[in-house]
Structure formats: C-alpha cells, structure tokens
Amino acid sequence: MGQQPPKVKSADRVLDIFELFTGDKESYNLTEISKGLNMPPSSTYVILQNMLHRGYLETDRSGKQFRIGYKLFTIRSGYMRSSSLTGEFNSIAEKIIDDLNETTSLAIKVGSDLLYIGEKVSTHALRFNPNVGTTLPLHSTASGKILLADLSMEELRVLYPNDELEKVTDKTISTFSDLIKELNKVRSQGFGYNMGETVDGVHCVGGAIVDADGRTVASVSISIPVVRITGEVWGRVHDWIKRSCEELSTKVYGQQN
C-alpha cells in the first residue's frame, strides 16, 4: 500500500469549504457550513474570517451569507489566459483588430457579475478598455445579457431577488421586468446589446460561445465608441461576432453547427 500524504487539519478544512461550493447553492451561512462539514462553529468562524480577509470568500449585504470571492476568479482568469479557450480567442481577436481595430473581449459569468478573461484592445485613443479581471453587473453589458439569456426564470430570480437593478449609467436597465423583455430579444436575435449602459457613448455587441450540450459558457463582444459607428461597420461587427462565436464553440467545445 502507498503511503498516505501528510494532512494539515486547517488546510483540509479550507479545502472542504471550497468543495462545499461545488454543490447547487451559491452561498452558505456559518451554521450551514459548520454543520455541513462537521466543524466546530468557533473554528469555522475563524477560518471563514481569514478566507474573507484574503478575498477567497465574500459576503452579502447582511454579512451572514458567504460565497466564493474575487481571489479565486483572479486565479482562474490567470489559468484561463493559458487555456485553449483564451488561446483560440486571442487568435481570432487579432483578426478582428486587424479588420475593425475595435476592442474585442472574452467574458464569463461569475455570480451576478461579468468577469473579463480575455481582451484585445483597439489602438484608437478613444476606446473601451475592460482589463482582464474586471467585473461588471451582468445586466449592464452585452455579454452579460447573452449569459443571462441562457438562464431560467428561477435562476434569474436567484440573481435578482429585487425588482430594482443596479444602474451603471443612466441608460442601464433598472428593473427586473425590463431585463426580462431584453433577454427575450436576445434569445430571438442571437445577439446581446449594450447601448451606453456601461460607458456613455460606447455601444457593444455580444454573442454566445456554447458547449457540446448547447449551454452558453462564455461570450465574445466588440465595443465601439458611437462616433465611429456606421451602418457598414455595425454590419461587420455582427459578422465577426457570429463567426468568432461559431469558431470558438466548435474548436474549444466541439459544438456542431
């Protein structure tokens, strides 16, 4: 028999907490974590506070519900930069930049936020520049709407329990009912739009990258300042979004068109 690896009790407990979040729930309170992992509440509290302080966990507004924090997604985005998805994205984004010279981004859903995990930035002085690791509310972005459109009403209500939504600009969708109307358009059109809802004067088009089961796993978007938009350019943007999403879905996830 092989030797059992040495165990560090506190490290094991941290890993147990991380693995708890691989289940169906996105957040847990102290009691649920303590009971679920058969850990004393006092030591559970200390570990949770340390993980919270380091950014590996975060809490809701009440401070009682714990969920995965930004640090893990920062680590994940570092991994994703070297993965096949971001590698293939970088290749096609170079072509988009050569043709359009407009910022092209790759993003995924993290809770109720959009996380940028890839980008190729326009060389124009006036441009949108969402750095890798940046997060924005899903409902305020073109890619976010693409990712939300894949969710059921029940899943959407978990993300948006209140009827009023956070506004980033004056143009951001601000009610749940308006969001549902917008998502219905996304489902019928196949594109997500951001018309100055994140940055005034910048419009954006997003499309879905899907896996072999047809589930949306990521989104590609192209952002353009309004002053550079023409009918011909807008048409080419849509062509590139369609082409890049189809290529990434096929090459990375084996999706059959």
Side-chain angles (χ1 to χ4, degrees):
M1 290 180 64
Q3 254 189 336
Q4 289 293 320
K7 289 189 176 183
V8 179
K9 192 172 184 180
S10 58
D12 264 355
R13 286 178 169 176
V14 169
L15 295 175
D16 286 341
I17 291 171
F18 280 140
E19 290 177 359
L20 187 64
F21 288 95
T22 62
D24 295 332
K25 293 183 64 175
E26 288 193 357
S27 68
Y28 297 86
N29 60 37
L30 171 62
T31 301
E32 290 172 330
I33 295 171
S34 175
K35 288 184 177 179
L37 299 177
N38 196 27
M39 292 163 49
S42 57
S43 57
T44 304
Y45 175 81
V46 172
I47 292 173
L48 291 176
Q49 292 305 309
N50 282 333
M51 295 174 72
L52 189 65
H53 177 71
R54 295 284 296 272
Y56 289 103
L57 292 178
E58 61 186 30
T59 62
D60 63 0
R61 292 180 181 177
S62 72
K64 296 179 180 179
Q65 290 289 128
F66 294 87
R67 60 186 178 227
I68 292 296
Y70 74 92
K71 184 65 71 66
L72 277 184
F73 298 112
T74 301
I75 294 171
R76 180 183 179 183
S77 69
Y79 165 76
M80 291 292 282
R81 281 196 294 272
S82 62
S83 74
S84 59
L85 174 58
T86 49
E88 293 291 349
F89 163 77
N90 288 334
S91 176
I92 197 165
E94 290 282 3
K95 299 174 185 177
I96 296 173
I97 290 293
D98 288 343
D99 182 34
L100 296 174
N101 195 17
E102 299 295 351
T103 296
T104 306
S105 304
L106 175 68
I108 59 174
K109 173 184 170 295
V110 177
S112 60
D113 288 329
L114 185 79
L115 174 68
Y116 290 100
I117 61 171
E119 65 170 7
K120 289 292 180 181
V121 179
S122 166
T123 61
H124 290 294
L126 180 62
R127 65 195 181 202
F128 178 55
N129 186 10
N131 295 319
V132 169
T134 298
T135 60
L136 286 167
L138 287 165
H139 64 275
S140 70
T141 66
S143 285
K145 292 170 187 173
I146 286 289
L147 293 159
L148 289 172
D150 198 50
L151 303 182
S152 67
M153 182 64 76
E154 291 74 19
E155 290 171 319
L156 289 169
R157 264 307 184 190
V158 171
L159 293 179
Y160 299 101
N162 301 317
D163 289 331
E164 291 188 7
L165 310 184
E166 176 186 355
K167 296 195 71 170
V168 181
T169 73
D170 289 341
K171 296 182 177 67
T172 307
I173 291 174
S174 59
T175 66
F176 185 75
S177 60
D178 284 343
L179 175 62
I180 296 304
K181 293 176 185 176
E182 184 74 9
L183 297 183
N184 286 334
K185 292 180 184 178
V186 172
R187 294 179 185 113
S188 64
Q189 297 170 345
F191 296 98
Y193 296 96
N194 170 0
M195 314 301 268
E197 296 168 65
T198 300
V199 178
D200 283 322
V202 175
H203 289 185
C204 182
V205 183
I209 300 169
V210 299
D211 63 18
D213 296 320
R215 295 285 296 180
T216 301
V217 293
S219 174
V220 173
S221 63
I222 299 174
S223 303
I224 311 182
V226 174
V227 294
R228 289 201 294 272
I229 294 177
T230 65
E232 188 266 340
V233 167
W234 200 236
R236 281 159 59 200
V237 166
H238 284 74
D239 290 341
W240 272 115
I241 290 294
K242 187 173 186 296
R243 173 183 166 182
S244 60
C245 288
E246 287 177 351
E247 284 192 19
L248 290 170
S249 298
T250 301
K251 290 181 178 179
V252 179
Y253 297 101
Q255 170 67 21
Q256 301 298 313
N257 296 323

